Amino acid sequence: MKKKLSLVTIVTEGILKEQFSELLQENGASGFTITRAEGQGSRGVRARDWEGPNLRFEAIVSSAAADQILAAVEKKYFESYSVIAWVSNVEVVRGEKFVGEENV
Amino acid sequence: MKKKLSLVTIVTEGILKEQFSELLQENGASGFTITRAEGQGSRGVRARDWEGPNLRFEAIVSSAAADQILAAVEKKYFESYSVIAWVSNVEVVRGEKFVGEENV
Amino acid sequence: MKKKLSLVTIVTEGILKEQFSELLQENGASGFTITRAEGQGSRGVRARDWEGPNLRFEAIVSSAAADQILAAVEKKYFESYSVIAWVSNVEVVRGEKFVGEENV
Amino acid sequence: MELILQNLISPVTLAFALGMIARWVRSDLEIPSAVYQGLSIYLLFAIGLKGGVSLSVTPVRELIAPAALTLVLGVLTPLSAFFFLRSLGKLGRTDAAATAAHYGSVSVVTFIAAIEAVKISGMASNGYLPALLAVLEVPGIIVGLLLARESKGAGMKAAIHDVITGKSIFLMVGGLVIGALCGPEKIAGVAPFFIAPFKGVLCIFLLELGMVAAGRIQDLKAAGFRLILLGCFLPLFHGSIATVCAVAVGMNPGGAAVFGAMVGSASYIAAPAAVRLALPKASPGIYLTLSLGVTFPFNLALGIPLFLYLAKNAPKFLS
Amino acid sequence: MELILQNLISPVTLAFALGMIARWVRSDLEIPSAVYQGLSIYLLFAIGLKGGVSLSVTPVRELIAPAALTLVLGVLTPLSAFFFLRSLGKLGRTDAAATAAHYGSVSVVTFIAAIEAVKISGMASNGYLPALLAVLEVPGIIVGLLLARESKGAGMKAAIHDVITGKSIFLMVGGLVIGALCGPEKIAGVAPFFIAPFKGVLCIFLLELGMVAAGRIQDLKAAGFRLILLGCFLPLFHGSIATVCAVAVGMNPGGAAVFGAMVGSASYIAAPAAVRLALPKASPGIYLTLSLGVTFPFNLALGIPLFLYLAKNAPKFLS
Amino acid sequence: MELILQNLISPVTLAFALGMIARWVRSDLEIPSAVYQGLSIYLLFAIGLKGGVSLSVTPVRELIAPAALTLVLGVLTPLSAFFFLRSLGKLGRTDAAATAAHYGSVSVVTFIAAIEAVKISGMASNGYLPALLAVLEVPGIIVGLLLARESKGAGMKAAIHDVITGKSIFLMVGGLVIGALCGPEKIAGVAPFFIAPFKGVLCIFLLELGMVAAGRIQDLKAAGFRLILLGCFLPLFHGSIATVCAVAVGMNPGGAAVFGAMVGSASYIAAPAAVRLALPKASPGIYLTLSLGVTFPFNLALGIPLFLYLAKNAPKFLS
Ligand SMILES: Nc1ncnc2c1ncn2[C@@H]1O[C@H](COP(=O)(O)O)[C@@H](O)[C@H]1O
Ligand SMILES: Nc1ncnc2c1ncn2[C@@H]1O[C@H](COP(=O)(O)O)[C@@H](O)[C@H]1O
Ligand SMILES: Nc1ncnc2c1ncn2[C@@H]1O[C@H](COP(=O)(O)O)[C@@H](O)[C@H]1O
Ligand code: NA
Ligand code: NA
Ligand code: NA
């Protein structure tokens, strides 16, 4: 059975790895996938320091959790850090894996 | 001309690279893109052994092929391996490249 | 406030990094994210030369810019280079960041 | 005691400890995965080369007995490990077989640490040991997979192909053949890259291994007390037998100690990959935790000095 | 003049220049980020090891005065930098504090370049300098963060934890402890990896740093003339004082010059990471541009020869 | 025959073979792309450094004739390759021009293998050869692009800029200049990194190249018999002429053989990148397969020993 869920993607500075991992888990993500990325944005190309390149987080979550994650990111990080985030609709099999038993 | 197709994304263990490459091609993908990823999921952070990190497969396929791929993944891998997979709707130009001549 | 925008994804040869960065910016992308990728497609597995692996560009843009980007890619690159591109619908917060002030 | 300390205070061992500390204090230290894979390729190929060179200068006759012993122990140790893991460890068939594959194979880093310990102790060793290492790597894994009796026919054949062409074995055997073909003079040209910096590279590798092992140690509780005990008993048991046998077939005391450490060690490079593919239902939480979280540090700290002690004194008992 | 040229024409400095040129001619040269991180790990750990070994052979008594001086200057230089950046530089509190953290800490590469320059000049140095480097790395950053008065209580504690367990400090201190525990004989085994190729590895690292710095230099205009001047004045001011003090507490002239370069330098590895986390509102366009785009090349080209000159002649003035 | 075997049984050549075998037995061995790029950077910069140092100790007068010869052959070989590829090879204009660019440029690894072969054979060589290598790298590519007559005006100018600032040429020339400026004494400090381990690093690089070449060899059938023959004929033809000319302008026999191998070789690092950008319609299945799948192994196995033989005996014919 396929189930409709949300895919949240966040691109942010490498230095925030720990913080975003926690943020995702605290806001309902059962897991996440990180890829290393490089980027260019409105702040210009950033000097690559030892913290390495940008990180691109992906998490499959319920649509409520997606809203919650976006809100948390907006509140805590948008002002001072390089962060962008977007949400799209996806379908998964084994939906119960991602949203916890209570709300499947 | 733009054409609506499906984007299948699969995140799995690095050791299964060969197997998933075959699985995708056998189930109708004309190609695929792999990025290295790291992840955290319900099984906890896995020890990184020499097999390297997770792999993130992406394939643009017809919606029928997408269903077929998900079914194959579910049948063969969900039980014993770390795998997650999702599908989303995308639009491409040059759709014939992805679905074979017969069913454009 | 969430805003609906387009996510353009392009996978292409590492050697074209500079050119695609410019193409995206010239066609209305306020920024982009690059991840290194490997791939297999209709031209067979390419020899990895020093230029490194494929690159996977992502840019959040207005739907008009998305069309423009796809058209530019199709015109200049599809014939001679390994390129694939697709578009999907996403929602972002802080939409003004991506589309310039004039057309929010 | 002196021996134990001597063994523990070395850059290689301390780098492993530093890696564990990095995890415990939650440092953001990370070895990029590409670098880690590069280091692995270097180490395996270099150890093969070294073994090959020493093969090229060892008379075949001298090799027969040690090689035969290696093969026999490579088949027996996974059987013995399987027996203990089933009976004392109360593991299911698949988990026991998967873990037995690890104890049947060998830990390259334990081997190198033993070589170093012998060097420091001043005992004589045997040049052909890296070749035995390559011999010991494979059979244990295959016996382990057979013990699981899960994958048969084509599945088993594919698994054996994967083990043999798997990058660890492939690189080590490839290096071995190249070393043997080229001999010492031609290898001299690449020695400043493959021989001299070897131990330093190993430090960085162990830094990473320490971080992984620290993660594993957190899983110890889940593994249970019985299994932890087995993770100490199996290396002792296999290693002591191997040391004594090695002395008996005429290896030098230092060489016998290294041989004991090899046989007593549990693989965490080649075996996990093979087992993950062939026995996906076996739990990495058991086999990786035992081999990397228990047996590896145990051998570094206690096993190696013990085998050294045994090798030194075995001749007396034997005669 | 002779000294300056001698200092500039070295593989390390020229590699930095080559990196800058790569950016200016728009070459597609790129050091993969995994390689860059691997090099950083190597360099920091190696410098720690070296310092540790020299510590293990230095009598404690000899160390007390230099270590105390280092601590004092590690606290004073960020205060002085803060003062000048606020008053002359007209920076806001946060930006000034962030930049002060950089000038309070130390640039490892400047340190190494100074060591080389001393070697070439034939002056006597002091073996324990890398240990002082480790001591100097941390306090400046903490004072800088305190000056910002932004994050208090838990925030400040977390920030200090992050600085100390941050990979730069962790690796250097880890290497230091391992080097000190092992001593020269045991480190000899890993010297062909950690000591001999060190300067060569540094060349590749500087190639990348040159590329980053070239990007920063384009930001100079935005930084403004006042700040550029400060980026030259601060190293001169701090470095000269430090050189003279070092001579006064009895360091060799070569050692004093290196010490001056250390204290005069601004961090661009450890400090930026800490500041980015703890003071996200401070602008990297200011602190990175000053430390990497102005002060680093200034020290390479002018600072180091000057401190050498000063160290050679200070004894006369002092007596 | 003896020479051929001597040449083939070396760690470097065998590593290439091992890479090919890895592909054939379908091993999962993979060199991470970041590591591969790191190795390339190292090798190109190191070879430049070496050349620069030897330049700094060679009187200019001695260089004029060899450099002029290099330039002339750098322009003539792509023309000759173009002619044969069009007439005998029956290639279209674009493919012929693209392939000619490869044969006009030079394969760094072939060059190094030739240097080694000369060393083993005990013949005298010339120190300035790496400088000639840098000279030979560029013109052939530019002539090749001009032959295609596809991109004109701005397009051509951009292509030439890309070739010259492309990372391969940039690193090699950068290393050359640094080596020449620093001279032997200052380079000695980085020699343990850039000189001593060079050949070992090359082994790992060739492991990867072997894997890529094995993939290319599968494309040979598609390339057709005529092209394969040309892939053997062109190096022979260009290389023999170059060897004889080199002897004629007074190079040592060993140096002349290396020069022949250089001129006879086909680029597979700098040229493919330039051609892919400037002539996207040319087929990599032709130019890469010929240069990496045919000409490179041909030179390793037969070309180099032949040029050695020729260089040894050319003086007789010439006089
Ligand atoms: N329009 C965009 N589309 C995709 N990624 C973007 C976009 N804008 C910014 N980014 C990514 O977000 C990072 C931070 O952006 P910024 O804060 O604008 O500098 C960049 O380095 C990019 O990786
Ligand atoms: N909710 C999720 N969203 C995105 N990726 C996930 C999620 N859960 C798991 N993953 C990825 O799938 C891998 C395997 O997950 P698991 O089998 O749950 O351990 C993880 O390492 C992650 O890369
Ligand atoms: N169906 C597909 N889905 C996802 N990625 C693809 C697909 N086909 C090709 N690609 C990617 O596009 C690159 C070029 O494809 P091609 O030009 O067909 O060789 C490949 O290396 C893949 O990374
Ligand atoms: Na074993
Ligand atoms: Na300072
Ligand atoms: Na050529």
Side-chain angles (χ1 to χ4, degrees):
Chain A
M1 259 309 299
K2 288 202 280 182
K3 186 174 164 60
K4 287 191 197 303
L5 285 171
S6 293
L7 169 66
V8 179
T9 308
I10 301 171
V11 180
T12 189
E13 309 179 30
I15 212 174
L16 299 173
K17 182 173 182 183
E18 192 84 351
Q19 297 191 17
F20 271 83
S21 302
E22 273 163 27
L23 183 148
L24 286 171
Q25 284 178 314
E26 279 164 13
N27 289 283
S30 67
F32 50 83
T33 297
I34 306 177
T35 43
R36 292 170 160 246
E38 218 182 312
Q40 209 163 312
S42 52
R43 305 186 191 218
V45 185
R46 260 194 318 286
R48 178 165 85 216
D49 54 37
W50 190 17
E51 298 316 310
N54 285 350
L55 295 178
R56 182 181 177 281
F57 287 83
E58 280 177 312
I60 300 282
V61 293
S62 68
S63 102
D67 286 343
Q68 213 176 312
I69 289 169
L70 281 197
V73 170
E74 189 169 16
K75 201 176 118 207
K76 289 202 223 155
Y77 294 99
F78 269 173
E79 192 187 349
S80 316
Y81 293 99
S82 279
V83 190
I84 72 165
W86 65 83
V87 182
S88 61
N89 297 317
V90 299
E91 289 190 323
V92 301
V93 275
R94 291 207 308 177
E96 65 288 2
K97 188 179 155 97
F98 304 103
V99 291
E101 270 88 52
E102 75 283 0
N103 46 354
V104 175
Chain B
M1 258 308 300
K2 286 202 280 181
K3 186 176 163 60
K4 286 191 196 305
L5 285 171
S6 293
L7 168 66
V8 180
T9 307
I10 302 172
V11 180
T12 189
E13 309 179 29
I15 211 174
L16 298 175
K17 182 172 183 185
E18 191 83 353
Q19 297 191 17
F20 270 83
S21 301
E22 275 163 28
L23 184 147
L24 286 170
Q25 284 178 314
E26 280 164 13
N27 289 282
S30 68
F32 50 83
T33 297
I34 305 177
T35 42
R36 293 169 161 247
E38 219 183 310
Q40 209 163 313
S42 52
R43 307 184 190 219
V45 185
R46 261 195 317 286
R48 180 166 85 215
D49 52 38
W50 190 17
E51 297 317 309
N54 285 349
L55 295 178
R56 182 179 177 282
F57 288 82
E58 279 177 313
I60 300 282
V61 293
S62 68
S63 102
D67 286 343
Q68 212 176 312
I69 290 169
L70 282 197
V73 170
E74 189 167 17
K75 201 177 118 205
K76 289 202 221 152
Y77 294 99
F78 268 172
E79 193 187 349
S80 316
Y81 293 98
S82 278
V83 191
I84 73 165
W86 65 83
V87 182
S88 61
N89 298 316
V90 299
E91 288 190 324
V92 302
V93 273
R94 290 208 306 177
E96 64 290 0
K97 187 177 157 99
F98 304 103
V99 291
E101 270 89 51
E102 75 282 359
N103 47 354
V104 175
Chain C
M1 259 307 298
K2 286 202 281 182
K3 185 176 166 58
K4 286 191 197 305
L5 285 170
S6 293
L7 168 66
V8 179
T9 308
I10 301 172
V11 180
T12 189
E13 310 180 29
I15 211 174
L16 298 174
K17 183 172 181 184
E18 191 83 352
Q19 297 191 16
F20 270 83
S21 301
E22 275 163 27
L23 184 148
L24 286 170
Q25 284 179 315
E26 279 164 14
N27 288 283
S30 68
F32 50 84
T33 296
I34 305 177
T35 43
R36 294 172 158 243
E38 218 182 312
Q40 209 163 312
S42 52
R43 307 184 189 218
V45 185
R46 261 195 317 288
R48 178 166 88 217
D49 54 37
W50 191 16
E51 298 316 309
N54 286 349
L55 296 178
R56 181 180 178 281
F57 287 83
E58 280 176 313
I60 300 281
V61 294
S62 69
S63 102
D67 286 342
Q68 212 177 313
I69 289 170
L70 282 197
V73 170
E74 188 168 17
K75 200 177 117 207
K76 288 202 222 153
Y77 293 98
F78 269 172
E79 194 187 348
S80 315
Y81 293 99
S82 279
V83 190
I84 72 165
W86 65 83
V87 181
S88 62
N89 298 316
V90 299
E91 288 190 325
V92 302
V93 274
R94 290 207 308 176
E96 66 288 1
K97 188 178 156 96
F98 303 104
V99 290
E101 270 89 49
E102 75 282 1
N103 48 353
V104 174
Chain D
M1 199 47 221
E2 178 60 26
L3 260 176
I4 297 183
L5 254 181
Q6 273 291 10
N7 200 36
L8 284 184
I9 296 194
S10 87
V12 170
T13 322
L14 290 175
F16 181 77
L18 189 65
M20 305 224 286
I21 294 171
R23 270 291 158 283
W24 291 331
V25 302
R26 313 199 78 212
S27 166
D28 63 342
L29 179 61
E30 235 179 287
I31 313 280
S33 112
V35 170
Y36 176 69
Q37 290 184 38
L39 296 180
S40 309
I41 291 171
Y42 170 88
L43 291 171
L44 287 161
F45 189 67
I47 204 143
L49 269 187
K50 228 172 170 174
V53 170
S54 63
L55 270 193
S56 77
V57 298
T58 312
V60 177
R61 227 172 2 140
E62 210 179 292
L63 272 174
I64 294 175
L69 177 63
T70 306
L71 264 180
V72 169
L73 289 175
V75 172
L76 289 185
T77 50
L79 293 174
S80 124
F82 184 71
F83 170 77
F84 285 115
L85 290 161
R86 289 284 276 167
S87 58
L88 298 185
K90 310 229 185 259
L91 287 184
R93 161 161 232 117
T94 308
D95 279 329
T99 312
H102 288 69
Y103 281 93
S105 185
V106 59
S107 145
V108 174
V109 184
T110 307
F111 168 78
I112 296 163
I115 292 268
E116 287 307 319
V118 166
K119 225 184 264 171
I120 290 173
S121 79
M123 287 155 82
S125 184
N126 299 85
Y128 53 69
L129 283 165
L132 299 188
L133 182 75
V135 170
L136 189 55
E137 188 100 45
V138 178
I141 299 177
I142 292 174
V143 172
L145 298 189
L146 286 171
L147 283 171
R149 271 208 221 143
E150 230 180 44
S151 34
K152 294 168 202 123
M156 196 60 212
K157 246 175 91 185
I160 291 178
H161 174 267
D162 282 350
V163 172
I164 293 174
T165 65
K167 49 191 168 188
S168 328
I169 310 285
F170 184 84
L171 276 170
M172 204 151 82
V173 172
L176 202 83
V177 171
I178 293 182
L181 285 176
C182 289
E185 281 124 63
K186 283 184 171 172
I187 293 300
V190 298
F193 181 65
F194 286 116
I195 313 292
F198 188 87
K199 257 183 75 182
V201 174
L202 196 63
C203 284
I204 302 286
F205 185 81
L206 279 183
L207 199 61
E208 163 76 16
L209 220 55
M211 291 192 266
V212 178
R216 284 290 140 205
I217 285 178
Q218 289 161 6
D219 294 353
L220 279 187
K221 253 177 280 167
F225 190 60
R226 284 165 169 279
L227 285 180
I228 299 176
L229 266 189
L230 274 176
C232 302
F233 166 71
L234 285 175
L236 264 189
F237 182 63
H238 294 160
S240 306
I241 292 179
T243 307
V244 174
C245 292
V247 172
V249 303
M251 287 169 70
N252 291 332
V258 174
F259 188 75
M262 263 164 71
V263 174
S265 73
S267 164
Y268 42 72
I269 297 189
V275 162
R276 190 79 191 108
L277 276 177
L279 305 175
K281 279 174 192 158
S283 157
I286 293 173
Y287 56 74
L288 268 183
T289 304
L290 278 190
S291 68
L292 190 56
V294 181
T295 298
F296 176 61
F298 174 84
N299 273 330
L300 272 197
L302 297 177
I304 294 177
L306 228 139
F307 303 140
L308 272 173
Y309 179 84
L310 198 62
K312 219 186 264 172
N313 299 293
K316 295 183 215 152
F317 298 122
L318 285 178
S319 59
Chain E
M1 196 51 220
E2 178 60 29
L3 260 177
I4 297 183
L5 253 182
Q6 273 291 11
N7 201 36
L8 284 184
I9 296 195
S10 87
V12 170
T13 322
L14 292 175
F16 182 75
L18 189 64
M20 304 224 288
I21 295 171
R23 267 294 157 282
W24 291 332
V25 302
R26 314 198 79 213
S27 167
D28 63 341
L29 179 62
E30 234 181 286
I31 313 281
S33 112
V35 170
Y36 177 68
Q37 290 183 40
L39 296 180
S40 310
I41 292 170
Y42 169 88
L43 291 171
L44 288 161
F45 189 67
I47 205 143
L49 270 187
K50 227 172 171 173
V53 171
S54 63
L55 271 193
S56 76
V57 298
T58 312
V60 177
R61 229 174 358 142
E62 210 178 293
L63 271 173
I64 294 175
L69 177 63
T70 306
L71 264 180
V72 170
L73 289 175
V75 172
L76 289 185
T77 50
L79 294 173
S80 124
F82 184 71
F83 171 77
F84 286 114
L85 290 161
R86 288 286 275 168
S87 57
L88 298 186
K90 310 228 186 261
L91 288 184
R93 161 162 232 115
T94 309
D95 279 329
T99 312
H102 288 69
Y103 281 92
S105 185
V106 59
S107 145
V108 174
V109 184
T110 306
F111 168 79
I112 296 163
I115 292 268
E116 288 306 318
V118 167
K119 225 184 264 169
I120 290 173
S121 79
M123 286 155 82
S125 184
N126 299 85
Y128 52 69
L129 284 165
L132 299 188
L133 182 75
V135 171
L136 189 55
E137 188 100 46
V138 178
I141 299 178
I142 292 173
V143 172
L145 298 188
L146 287 171
L147 283 171
R149 270 208 222 143
E150 228 179 46
S151 33
K152 295 171 202 117
M156 196 59 213
K157 246 176 92 183
I160 291 178
H161 174 267
D162 282 349
V163 172
I164 293 174
T165 66
K167 47 192 170 187
S168 328
I169 311 284
F170 184 85
L171 276 170
M172 204 151 83
V173 173
L176 202 83
V177 172
I178 293 183
L181 285 175
C182 290
E185 282 123 63
K186 283 184 171 172
I187 293 300
V190 298
F193 182 65
F194 285 116
I195 313 292
F198 187 88
K199 256 183 76 182
V201 174
L202 195 63
C203 284
I204 303 286
F205 186 81
L206 279 183
L207 198 61
E208 163 76 15
L209 220 55
M211 291 192 266
V212 177
R216 282 292 139 203
I217 284 178
Q218 289 161 4
D219 294 354
L220 279 186
K221 254 176 281 169
F225 189 61
R226 283 163 170 281
L227 285 179
I228 300 176
L229 266 189
L230 274 177
C232 302
F233 167 72
L234 286 175
L236 264 188
F237 182 64
H238 294 159
S240 308
I241 293 179
T243 307
V244 174
C245 292
V247 172
V249 303
M251 286 169 69
N252 291 331
V258 173
F259 188 75
M262 264 164 70
V263 175
S265 72
S267 163
Y268 41 72
I269 297 189
V275 163
R276 190 79 191 109
L277 275 176
L279 305 175
K281 278 172 193 158
S283 156
I286 293 173
Y287 55 74
L288 268 183
T289 303
L290 278 190
S291 69
L292 190 55
V294 181
T295 299
F296 176 61
F298 174 84
N299 272 331
L300 273 197
L302 297 177
I304 295 177
L306 229 138
F307 303 139
L308 272 172
Y309 178 84
L310 199 62
K312 220 186 264 173
N313 299 294
K316 294 183 218 154
F317 299 122
L318 287 177
S319 60
Chain F
M1 197 51 221
E2 179 59 27
L3 260 177
I4 298 182
L5 255 181
Q6 274 291 12
N7 201 35
L8 284 183
I9 296 195
S10 88
V12 169
T13 322
L14 291 175
F16 182 76
L18 189 65
M20 304 224 286
I21 295 171
R23 268 294 156 283
W24 291 331
V25 303
R26 315 198 79 212
S27 166
D28 63 341
L29 179 62
E30 235 180 286
I31 313 281
S33 111
V35 170
Y36 176 70
Q37 290 183 39
L39 296 180
S40 308
I41 291 170
Y42 169 88
L43 291 171
L44 287 162
F45 190 66
I47 204 144
L49 270 188
K50 229 172 169 172
V53 171
S54 63
L55 271 193
S56 77
V57 298
T58 312
V60 177
R61 228 172 1 138
E62 210 179 292
L63 271 174
I64 295 176
L69 177 63
T70 307
L71 265 180
V72 170
L73 289 175
V75 172
L76 290 185
T77 50
L79 294 174
S80 124
F82 185 69
F83 171 77
F84 286 114
L85 290 161
R86 288 284 277 167
S87 58
L88 298 185
K90 311 226 185 258
L91 287 184
R93 161 161 232 115
T94 309
D95 280 329
T99 313
H102 288 69
Y103 281 93
S105 185
V106 58
S107 146
V108 175
V109 184
T110 307
F111 168 78
I112 296 163
I115 292 269
E116 286 307 318
V118 166
K119 225 184 264 169
I120 290 173
S121 78
M123 286 154 83
S125 185
N126 299 84
Y128 53 69
L129 284 164
L132 299 189
L133 183 76
V135 171
L136 189 56
E137 189 101 45
V138 177
I141 300 178
I142 292 173
V143 173
L145 299 188
L146 286 172
L147 283 171
R149 269 206 223 144
E150 230 179 45
S151 33
K152 296 170 202 120
M156 196 61 212
K157 245 176 93 185
I160 291 178
H161 174 268
D162 282 350
V163 173
I164 293 173
T165 65
K167 48 191 167 186
S168 328
I169 310 284
F170 184 84
L171 276 171
M172 205 151 82
V173 173
L176 202 82
V177 172
I178 294 182
L181 285 175
C182 290
E185 281 122 64
K186 282 183 172 173
I187 293 300
V190 298
F193 181 65
F194 286 116
I195 312 291
F198 188 87
K199 257 182 77 180
V201 174
L202 195 62
C203 285
I204 303 286
F205 185 81
L206 279 183
L207 198 61
E208 163 74 16
L209 221 54
M211 291 193 265
V212 177
R216 283 289 140 204
I217 284 177
Q218 289 161 6
D219 294 354
L220 279 187
K221 253 176 282 169
F225 189 60
R226 283 164 170 282
L227 285 180
I228 299 176
L229 266 188
L230 274 177
C232 301
F233 167 73
L234 286 175
L236 264 189
F237 182 64
H238 294 160
S240 307
I241 293 179
T243 307
V244 174
C245 292
V247 172
V249 303
M251 288 170 69
N252 292 332
V258 173
F259 188 74
M262 264 164 70
V263 174
S265 72
S267 163
Y268 42 72
I269 296 190
V275 163
R276 190 80 192 107
L277 277 176
L279 306 176
K281 278 175 193 157
S283 156
I286 293 173
Y287 57 72
L288 268 183
T289 303
L290 278 191
S291 70
L292 190 56
V294 181
T295 298
F296 176 60
F298 174 83
N299 272 332
L300 272 197
L302 297 177
I304 294 178
L306 228 139
F307 303 138
L308 271 173
Y309 178 84
L310 198 62
K312 220 187 264 170
N313 298 295
K316 293 183 218 151
F317 299 121
L318 286 178
S319 60

